[in-house]
Amino acid sequence: NNTGNVTAYSPNITFTKNSSINITPNNYTFNNMGSGSVLGSVFAVNISALTSPGTYNISALMSYRNPDNTYSSNSLVFNITVRSNKSMTYAPSNIGLTVAPGGSNSTIIEINNTGNEQLSYLNLSCISGNACSRFTISTNQSNFTITTNSSGSVNITFSASLSVAGGYYTGTINITERNISRQISVNL
């Protein structure tokens, strides 16, 4: 918006920002702006998926040449808030094992931190089904941490007493963090 009394020649806007922010285009030169004229353009602002939570600044510098060949500029700062996005994926999507009476069997669960913040105090527990009450379930880790853009492996073992009758047992394993949880189906 040219609120002055003269033409602004070659008005240009240039953005300065954090490396995790992408602006397209990063700078743009408008047509000359006569007094009282308004020009606009669309700029796409994208925040990379793994940007840590926080407030980030984008500075916009608008510069232009005056009729007397001097240069002037104006600046504006935009604040962008990136919120926490805790998320995870895991594999396998379900657990299917054979456990003989008096025996045990185990599998590895791979947990991937797909969010933008560290996952802390992760635990696995059996929360429902007859597999939870008929088998002893143990893991090699508890209250563990997975940093951003990383993964962790947990060995989960299902042990049966000698008195467990042969049959089909089901349950649900809950992967919990302080703020999120995911469930895995178990078939024994």
Side-chain angles (χ1 to χ4, degrees):
N1 185 11
N2 184 351
T3 58
N5 295 321
V6 296
T7 298
Y9 295 98
S10 301
N12 178 280
I13 189 167
T14 301
F15 296 98
T16 306
K17 64 344 180 225
N18 179 289
S19 63
S20 62
I21 299 172
N22 184 34
I23 300 176
T24 307
N26 192 55
N27 59 52
Y28 183 79
T29 301
F30 295 88
N31 293 326
N32 294 338
M33 294 179 69
S35 176
S37 65
V38 176
L39 295 175
S41 186
V42 174
F43 299 89
V45 178
N46 293 296
I47 311 298
S48 69
L50 298 175
T51 301
S52 298
T55 301
Y56 297 87
N57 296 325
I58 296 175
S59 297
L61 178 65
M62 181 69 169
S63 57
Y64 52 92
R65 185 173 48 85
N66 297 303
D68 64 0
N69 284 329
T70 60
Y71 287 87
S72 296
S73 63
N74 297 306
S75 62
L76 180 64
V77 176
F78 300 95
N79 293 317
I80 295 185
T81 301
V82 175
R83 297 185 185 267
S84 173
N85 176 27
K86 289 193 173 191
S87 63
M88 65 176 128
T89 60
Y90 57 86
S93 58
N94 58 55
I95 297 171
L97 296 173
T98 301
V99 182
S104 64
N105 201 346
S106 63
T107 189
I108 301 289
I109 298 173
E110 184 79 17
I111 303 169
N112 295 301
N113 183 348
T114 56
N116 67 347
E117 193 169 355
Q118 176 174 286
L119 298 174
S120 302
Y121 304 104
L122 283 154
N123 285 293
L124 280 71
S125 61
C126 196
I127 59 171
S128 67
N130 60 0
C132 298
S133 58
R134 302 290 172 95
F135 293 82
T136 301
I137 301 167
S138 59
T139 61
N140 67 329
Q141 294 191 69
S142 62
N143 292 319
F144 60 98
T145 297
I146 300 175
T147 59
T148 304
N149 200 29
S150 295
S151 62
S153 298
V154 180
N155 186 12
I156 186 165
T157 302
F158 298 85
S159 301
S161 68
L162 285 172
S163 63
V164 170
Y168 186 69
Y169 297 91
T170 62
T172 302
I173 298 295
N174 197 26
I175 304 170
T176 58
E177 196 264 355
R178 288 186 290 182
N179 299 301
I180 60 172
S181 65
R182 299 290 182 267
Q183 286 78 42
I184 302 175
S185 296
V186 175
N187 299 297
L188 303 173

